[in-house]
Amino acid sequence: GFYARDAGVAHRKNLGLLRKIICQESTKFKNVWTTHSASPIAYERGRIYLDNYQCCISSIAQEPRILYQKPKCSKSEKIEDALLLECPLGEMLPSPSDYKSSLIVLTVQNWLLRLSADSGEILEKIYLAGSCCKFRYLSWDTPQEVMVVKSAQNKLPAAARQAGIQQSVLFYLAVFQVLPLSFIGMLEINKKIFGNSVTDVAISNRILIVMYSMGLVRLYNFQAILEQFMEQPLDLGREFNWNGQVGVVGKYPFGLPCNIKITDTPPLLFEASSLENAFQIGGYPWHYIITPNKKKHKGVFHICSLKDNALAKNGIQDMKCCSLEPDWIYFHPDMSGRIIHVGPNLIKVLKLKEVKNNTDQMEIAEDFTIVANRENCVNNAVTVTASGRVVKKRFNLLDDDPEQETFKIVDYEDELDLLSTVAVTQIGADGKAHLDFHCNEHGILLKSIPLLESWDVTYSHEVYFDKDLVLHIEQKPNRRFSCYVYQMVCDTVFWFCLSCFKEKY
């Protein structure tokens, strides 16, 4: 906001106060709730979802409480994917329910439902398509504005292939504007247009991204595709005649017609070849990150200019890790244009800057690093016993050996401007993890929180840090899931201020 008394200024001041409270030494995080489940556990903005989204638990209260519990659904009603939809600020919406958070879910029978996030009540229903395709994934093109529903890859049964039946459509994509929910269009990815070796497809930031089995990634302008190939715009709930079939758009059994017919290869914006199709765009000016498309280059990252494909100075990043799990790299989500490179025992935050005396070239410089605590780790190849006998090791420890502190998760809390890391040390069956908060600007360690539950490095883990909440979701073998919730505990006067803050926001 631009004015000293507007809501934005007050909100930022309150978040600044909350950050100071969290990082002060006397503030602790207490494990207030634990649950176990035979089905996946999901978390979205203060809500924990159990039993395939049939049970919703609020984690905002001092102790989590059930918001709603729906009857167990049949297999035909199973939810495949979900997105949390939040009300845009400063816009007039057609329905009072649009001003509250809702959950967009995709069912196994191709129904797209908008549910109240607080009650689970169905607010809107859209039927996508019949058995010709199986929709399975939800994603954002533009967060909280444009949503994409993607089908699984179409594959003919073995009997049909043996009979010589050809399948040319690989994927279907349905695109929606949200709040109010409106249909933009549906398109098919056809191998006659895009080629036989397409393995995946996505729409992000108005770019159609097509990935190929040989590591090739191609980018197309989705807005240009809409303008060139849309046959007719269609409104949800409108009766329509499509290829001789009369029905209501978005209603059963008509569903959504494929009104974007790509009849020719769209103009190519950009293409790159990268190992495992790994490709990212970000930074300022625009750069992209790839791994050269050969297995021997796994773990080597090239940072290049999007303008002319020129490799940035110091643009080859290689930690030379000897580890079971590879290091990973991505553009910092704080929109600073920086890059985060995470290895087993080292986190590098990198920045783009102009090369001195050459404004046309950019170089990669180190902004700051975060190093795992391995002070007591000794990994000598040769040791001498008390009797003086020389013993040579036959092998060296891996960089991510469980007995050494290793980074497992790095995340960014945008509202508090904190970089969070999870580091784990496992000796025998007992693994110890701690969540650390670092200054996002300089990397200084501000707070460390021990996680009390044992951490097994062979299991799958997710850790969420959301204002005053820390949540750990663990997946064990045989589809056993656990959720551990930690709440901030601080001095009484600070707790009163925080309670007022949470009630308001």
Side-chain angles (χ1 to χ4, degrees), residues 243-254:
N243 296 332
Q245 183 183 5
V246 179
V248 178
V249 178
K251 299 293 184 182
Y252 182 85
F254 188 73

Side-chain angles (χ1 to χ4, degrees), residues 301-474:
F301 303 100
H302 287 201
I303 304 169
C304 305
S305 168
L306 190 64
K307 179 182 177 181
D308 56 11
N309 296 320
L311 182 70
K313 185 179 179 181
N314 302 324
I316 299 178
Q317 295 295 311
D318 182 7
M319 284 193 176
K320 294 181 169 57
C321 301
C322 179
S323 57
L324 292 176
E325 296 183 11
D327 51 327
W328 70 96
I329 194 169
Y330 59 99
F331 286 100
H332 200 311
D334 69 353
M335 305 303 289
S336 64
R338 294 181 296 175
I339 297 166
I340 298 178
H341 188 184
V342 185
N345 65 327
L346 179 66
I347 299 170
K348 288 184 179 180
V349 176
L350 310 169
K351 60 184 178 182
L352 286 159
K353 68 175 189 177
E354 290 183 353
V355 173
K356 191 175 181 180
N357 301 325
N358 184 2
T359 57
D360 292 333
Q361 188 184 14
M362 304 297 290
E363 71 172 313
I364 306 301
E366 196 174 277
D367 199 15
F368 62 82
T369 60
I370 300 171
V371 183
N373 182 12
R374 295 185 173 183
E375 293 176 357
N376 298 324
C377 174
V378 178
N379 187 22
N380 293 327
V382 178
T383 56
V384 180
T385 66
S387 63
R389 186 167 60 93
V390 176
V391 179
K392 293 184 179 180
K393 290 184 180 179
R394 292 189 176 183
F395 57 87
N396 292 324
L397 288 177
L398 294 172
D399 289 329
D400 61 349
D401 187 277
E403 295 187 6
Q404 304 178 97
E405 183 171 274
T406 302
F407 292 118
K408 293 295 182 182
I409 297 173
V410 178
D411 203 358
Y412 174 63
E413 217 298 339
D414 58 343
E415 292 182 294
L416 301 179
D417 194 31
L418 290 173
L419 197 65
S420 64
T421 66
V422 175
V424 181
T425 306
Q426 182 167 330
I427 300 176
D430 188 26
K432 296 295 183 184
H434 56 91
L435 173 67
D436 292 347
F437 302 149
H438 296 263
C439 166
N440 184 49
E441 187 176 357
H442 303 294
I444 300 167
L445 177 63
L446 302 175
K447 186 80 175 177
S448 186
I449 301 167
L451 301 181
L452 303 181
E453 61 276 7
S454 179
W455 183 297
D456 190 317
V457 295
T458 64
Y459 298 166
S460 175
H461 299 266
E462 297 173 76
V463 174
Y464 298 91
F465 169 43
D466 192 357
K467 296 191 183 79
D468 65 322
L469 171 83
V470 171
L471 185 137
H472 173 204
I473 297 175
E474 174 185 54

Side-chain angles (χ1 to χ4, degrees), residues 227-290:
E227 294 170 1
Q228 183 177 353
F229 297 109
M230 179 178 284
E231 295 186 347
Q232 186 171 350
L234 298 169
D235 296 325
L236 294 172
R238 175 186 170 191
E239 188 174 285
F240 196 74
N241 186 326
W242 189 264
N243 296 332
Q245 183 183 5
V246 179
V248 178
V249 178
K251 299 293 184 182
Y252 182 85
F254 188 73
L256 302 174
C258 192
N259 62 334
I260 304 170
K261 290 285 188 182
I262 302 177
T263 55
D264 195 9
T265 307
L268 183 66
L269 285 180
F270 184 83
E271 73 175 8
S273 180
S274 182
L275 187 66
E276 298 174 350
N277 300 112
F279 176 80
Q280 302 175 64
I281 295 178
Y284 181 81
W286 292 108
H287 279 67
Y288 64 90
I289 303 173
I290 61 168

Side-chain angles (χ1 to χ4, degrees), residues 51-154:
D51 303 328
N52 195 233
Y53 293 91
Q54 299 304 296
C55 178
C56 178
I57 296 170
S58 171
S59 61
I60 295 176
Q62 291 187 27
E63 185 172 328
R65 59 182 177 83
I66 293 178
L67 282 178
Y68 63 82
Q69 173 79 63
K70 300 171 76 173
K72 188 174 181 180
C73 64
S74 64
K75 287 185 178 180
S76 64
E77 298 173 308
K78 179 189 172 188
I79 292 173
E80 294 275 33
D81 205 354
L83 287 177
L84 184 69
L85 182 57
E86 296 183 296
C87 167
L89 298 176
E91 292 189 22
M92 296 295 293
L93 300 172
S95 170
S97 66
D98 294 343
Y99 290 95
K100 294 185 178 180
S101 297
S102 54
L103 194 70
I104 299 283
V105 301
L106 174 63
T107 75
V108 73
Q109 294 284 10
N110 283 345
W111 283 95
L112 190 68
L113 310 178
R114 186 166 75 91
L115 311 177
S116 165
D118 294 325
S119 67
E121 174 192 358
I122 297 176
L123 304 175
E124 290 183 81
K125 292 178 66 174
I126 298 171
Y127 185 65
L128 299 174
S131 57
C132 63
C133 63
K134 174 70 182 71
F135 283 97
R136 187 169 290 172
Y137 309 103
L138 296 177
S139 62
W140 291 114
D141 170 18
T142 305
Q144 302 297 328
E145 293 182 18
V146 179
M147 175 182 67
V148 180
V149 190
K150 186 179 80 171
S151 73
Q153 185 170 355
N154 282 350

